[in-house]
Amino acid sequence: MAIEVRPATEFEDVRTMVGPKRPDSDVCWCLSYRVPGKVNRELHRQARGEKVRELMAQGPPGVLAYDGDEVVGWAAIHPRADTSFATNRKIPHVDDLEVWSLWCVRVRPGHRGQGIAHHLVEGAVAYARSEGAPAVEAYPVDNEGAKVDLTMAYVGTRALFERAGFTKVADTESVLNRFPRVLMRLSL
């Protein structure tokens, strides 16, 4: 298996990774941290996908992992200033560096347990570096090896990011699936 990670420029592949199985469903589309809360709450069904298409016209909203021609993974990454992390009261700012935020890592069912999440984190970091980011932040759970519910595993684990060279720089007041989230950073 040769996994290739590249910027998310194909809408249908983004739809495959974060869109709904049914077009009339309200699913995240990975917008909850990308757009202001009010906008996120007002977007429903097909309007959510159209918002992603609109954001993609401004540039890739993340990276996609491919196994050959098949899309198998997604990671959302963008400058923190353009995300809700810029104003999040539960996740601190440790300085004024114009960091990029990496907040979602998702691997398609049937492809999990093959190291694709590691490829996605590495690919997201490479993309941020190519765009001039001075550092990348992530906000994973510190689960100390305990199992994380798959619906909440999208933020990643501290161990996943440590393996990619990130270090913990702060605790947060955010909790997900009963696990505390930590702020981790990788300087580029």
Side-chain angles (χ1 to χ4, degrees):
M1 170 176 69
I3 299 298
E4 179 187 0
V5 178
R6 55 186 186 251
T9 58
E10 298 297 324
F11 178 78
E12 289 305 319
D13 290 345
V14 173
R15 177 197 305 271
T16 295
M17 289 308 307
V18 298
K21 288 184 173 72
R22 291 186 359 242
D24 61 337
S25 297
D26 272 344
V27 296
C28 182
W29 275 95
C30 219
L31 288 171
S32 59
Y33 295 113
R34 183 62 165 80
V35 297
K38 183 176 191 276
V39 172
N40 187 48
R41 287 186 299 276
E42 291 172 350
L43 292 169
H44 297 284
R45 298 171 188 81
Q46 291 91 342
R48 296 186 71 71
E50 289 310 311
K51 184 64 173 180
V52 170
R53 190 184 300 274
E54 177 186 313
L55 291 170
M56 288 182 74
Q58 300 168 22
V63 296
L64 293 164
Y66 293 87
D67 183 359
D69 292 334
E70 183 181 15
V71 63
V72 296
W74 156 263
I77 186 164
H78 200 74
R80 180 181 64 194
D82 294 336
T83 71
S84 65
F85 294 108
T87 57
N88 192 308
R89 290 177 291 207
K90 292 186 176 188
I91 296 179
H93 287 206
V94 294
D95 55 36
D96 291 327
L97 199 61
E98 294 183 11
V99 301
W100 282 44
S101 293
L102 170 53
W103 67 89
C104 179
V105 178
R106 185 154 191 247
V107 177
R108 272 177 92 179
H111 301 276
R112 296 180 180 138
Q114 300 174 29
I116 294 170
H118 298 284
H119 289 284
L120 283 162
V121 171
E122 291 170 11
V125 167
Y127 172 59
R129 180 181 285 121
S130 75
E131 294 294 311
V136 174
E137 283 185 351
Y139 320 99
V141 292
D142 191 357
N143 62 326
E144 298 180 355
K147 184 158 179 60
V148 179
D149 181 290
L150 278 180
T151 60
M152 296 297 155
Y154 70 93
V155 297
T157 63
R158 180 177 178 169
L160 170 68
F161 287 96
E162 284 177 339
R163 185 169 168 190
F166 286 67
T167 56
K168 177 185 168 189
V169 294
D171 289 314
T172 77
E173 294 179 26
S174 181
V175 175
L176 193 62
N177 195 221
R178 299 180 318 276
F179 298 112
R181 291 174 76 181
V182 292
L183 191 155
M184 300 189 74
R185 185 181 275 187
L186 178 66
S187 293
L188 305 179

